[in-house]
Amino acid sequence: MRLSNKILSIKPPPLRSFADKAANTPRCVRLDLGEPDFNTPRHIKRNANNALKQNFTHYTSTYGVRELRDAVAEKESKKVAGLSRDNIIITTGGMGALFCASAAILDFGQEVIIENPSWAPYPYMVEIAGGKPVLSKFFEDDKLQTENILEKINDKTRALIVNTPQNPTGRVWSRRDIKTVAEIAEDHDLFIICDEVYEEIVYGRKHVSFAEYDHDLSNTMLINSFSKTYAMTGWRVGYVVADEDYIKAIMKVNRVTTSCPSSVTQMGALAALMGSQRSVKKMVSQYKKRRNYITNELKKMGLNMTTPDGAFYVFPDVSEYDNDSMKFSNNLIENAKVSCIPGVGFGSEGEGHIRFSYATSLNEIEKGMNRLERFLPNYPNPISI
Ligand code: PLP
């Protein structure tokens, strides 16, 4: 028996193994996972409960529940005027949206340019969808490196994946950078798959969508999700916004992979969009407090990093202590009982960095920073906890 070479060649990203290690480390301060510590707001759960009670428990359309698609179209019309439900497909989380969109546009061996460093699953999704991921360093010292992108474009290039606000750096793309990359994509006839799952989690900055530079969605697909905005990671609801013909193609992938996302959780997602957005504001204001605290502390410790304007991650440079981020992260967890994700897990350009998630209580973050402050001067020796 032989498994697929494609699957055998895929090494699982380190995120899960560090999460497992943290879970198995007693009294570990967990700053590894991108998982909101808040519970899903009550009105969302209530609507899902009602759906259950009313036996809304059957397959839905492969495009998703009609009312939810209408609600998404209305929300997204702030970016692109005139959207209708025909521009929307509901998927199994943002991951389902990304995979279905990739599979719908890629022929075997076609290339997709992905930021280095960026969210670890992108290259694997592209590979499983039959494409070839090509990593490129989009930013140097916060400056867009247009030539790095241009030099990766060739006859086989089909798309770019962009992510704003970004995981793991927390960067929120500026309007100018978005315009530049949107123009590159248009000039070279490339799709832009724009991952906006953190769009609501921004601090004093406005999220700008790539769609603002492609009003007829000729080559832009927006990826979104309820996971982060509404603390709904386990519900697995996301969506794609795109031209109607692209949505029809994405529907074919959705149909043969999942048929449709869960009927019950789609009703939760509907309540999320239709209901009050007060809980989102509250969560974001908590994230902001934590962001301010953790960036201050890390900077006080002398770690170099850009202050994140969005998402809930910081990505400090720890190369002064260790160039090997795997080694540093293993040490940190074993000797200081603080978990993070090694930067190299996000791509070679992430080496020398670590990612902390601050989607956990301020108390825990304080404890973690306290330990880190004692740990760094002794690196790599253990500290007493
Ligand atoms: N995109 C980015 C950048 C993410 O960080 C994540 C989750 O961590 C996702 C997409 C997937 O989100 P979902 O839980 O909706 O599948």
Side-chain angles (χ1 to χ4, degrees):
M1 280 297 202
R2 224 182 118 64
L3 293 167
S4 136
N5 282 330
K6 190 163 67 182
I7 294 301
L8 289 173
S9 73
I10 293 175
K11 289 193 224 92
L15 201 145
R16 269 287 147 201
S17 60
F18 273 84
D20 291 345
K21 189 170 175 143
N24 290 319
T25 303
R27 292 188 299 129
C28 183
V29 174
R30 301 289 304 271
L31 302 180
D32 53 299
L33 283 186
E35 164 88 82
D37 58 321
F38 300 106
N39 291 323
T40 304
R42 239 176 311 191
H43 64 286
I44 298 175
K45 292 193 276 198
R46 200 178 315 122
N47 217 40
N49 264 332
N50 286 342
L52 268 178
K53 278 188 207 141
Q54 288 159 15
N55 292 312
F56 192 73
T57 52
H58 302 273
Y59 291 126
T60 70
S61 152
T62 301
Y63 289 105
V65 169
R66 186 191 263 246
E67 292 80 357
L68 178 56
R69 294 171 70 207
D70 285 339
V72 171
E74 194 182 326
K75 174 194 170 229
E76 297 289 335
S77 289
K78 289 181 194 115
K79 300 171 194 164
V80 191
L83 289 179
S84 77
R85 77 172 76 103
D86 295 335
N87 298 104
I88 313 294
I89 183 163
I90 311 297
T91 55
T92 305
M95 294 190 88
L98 283 158
F99 179 74
C100 292
S102 304
I105 62 168
L106 290 174
D107 276 323
F108 184 74
Q110 285 186 325
E111 298 183 0
V112 178
I113 301 173
I114 299 171
E115 181 171 1
N116 186 357
S118 63
W119 187 52
Y122 293 139
Y124 302 102
M125 282 189 191
V126 167
E127 272 187 68
I128 294 175
K132 183 176 167 213
V134 175
L135 300 187
S136 165
K137 187 169 191 185
F138 286 6
F139 291 91
E140 181 87 59
D141 294 331
D142 260 350
K143 249 188 103 228
L144 181 70
Q145 304 298 303
T146 314
E147 61 289 355
N148 287 0
I149 300 175
L150 288 173
E151 75 181 14
K152 300 287 186 197
I153 298 176
N154 61 48
D155 292 349
K156 293 195 204 123
T157 313
R158 188 87 172 107
L160 286 146
I161 295 182
V162 291
N163 175 212
T164 178
Q166 211 246 12
N167 178 4
T169 58
R171 172 182 295 105
V172 174
W173 283 51
S174 70
R175 190 173 281 282
R176 197 177 55 185
D177 291 344
I178 288 175
K179 184 167 181 282
T180 305
V181 173
E183 281 168 3
I184 292 176
E186 198 186 344
D187 290 350
H188 293 84
D189 201 18
L190 305 176
F191 279 108
I192 292 207
I193 298 180
C194 182
D195 181 341
E196 305 190 314
V197 304
Y198 295 101
E199 71 170 331
E200 302 292 343
I201 307 174
V202 283
Y203 316 114
R205 278 280 295 271
K206 197 180 162 310
H207 163 76
V208 180
S209 175
F210 271 79
E212 291 183 29
Y213 290 93
D214 181 14
H215 285 301
D216 51 2
L217 294 179
S218 61
N219 64 335
T220 308
M221 295 182 176
L222 304 181
I223 304 295
N224 220 320
S225 162
F226 293 82
S227 293
K228 315 289 178 174
T229 308
Y230 297 100
M232 290 174 69
T233 46
W235 295 62
R236 313 308 303 132
V237 198
Y239 59 86
V240 186
V241 183
D243 174 87
E244 192 177 331
D245 287 339
Y246 305 152
I247 292 291
K248 284 182 188 150
I250 293 168
M251 181 274 290
K252 293 185 193 174
V253 188
N254 217 20
R255 173 171 286 163
V256 297
T257 50
T258 62
S259 181
C260 62
S262 147
S263 55
V264 175
T265 62
Q266 287 189 69
M267 293 315 278
L270 178 60
L273 286 186
M274 302 301 281
S276 158
Q277 302 300 302
R278 234 188 14 230
S279 47
V280 177
K281 286 204 178 80
K282 270 193 191 159
M283 289 189 268
V284 174
S285 90
Q286 288 302 314
Y287 291 139
K288 187 175 180 184
K289 277 188 195 144
R290 299 166 184 183
R291 189 274 316 241
N292 291 347
Y293 173 77
I294 197 166
T295 46
N296 257 336
E297 291 304 303
L298 292 169
K299 283 181 180 170
K300 271 199 269 170
M301 289 178 225
L303 297 179
N304 210 356
M305 56 175 222
T306 316
T307 301
D309 286 320
F312 35 58
Y313 308 107
V314 272
F315 201 57
D317 183 340
V318 293
S319 57
E320 187 191 324
Y321 297 92
D322 210 319
N323 260 325
D324 182 339
S325 59
M326 281 278 196
K327 210 165 115 221
F328 183 93
S329 307
N330 271 313
N331 236 303
L332 183 64
I333 202 165
E334 284 159 18
N335 293 328
K337 300 203 189 318
V338 177
S339 64
C340 66
I341 302 293
V344 71
F346 301 94
S348 54
E349 295 293 341
E351 189 52 298
H353 294 71
I354 56 169
R355 189 197 78 177
F356 284 127
S357 160
Y358 49 90
T360 189
S361 74
L362 203 48
N363 246 344
E364 281 298 284
I365 300 168
E366 278 172 11
K367 213 191 297 176
M369 290 303 104
N370 221 298
R371 290 183 189 176
L372 184 68
E373 195 181 1
R374 288 186 288 130
F375 176 68
L376 288 179
N378 280 326
Y379 186 84
N381 301 315
I383 52 165
S384 60
I385 290 160

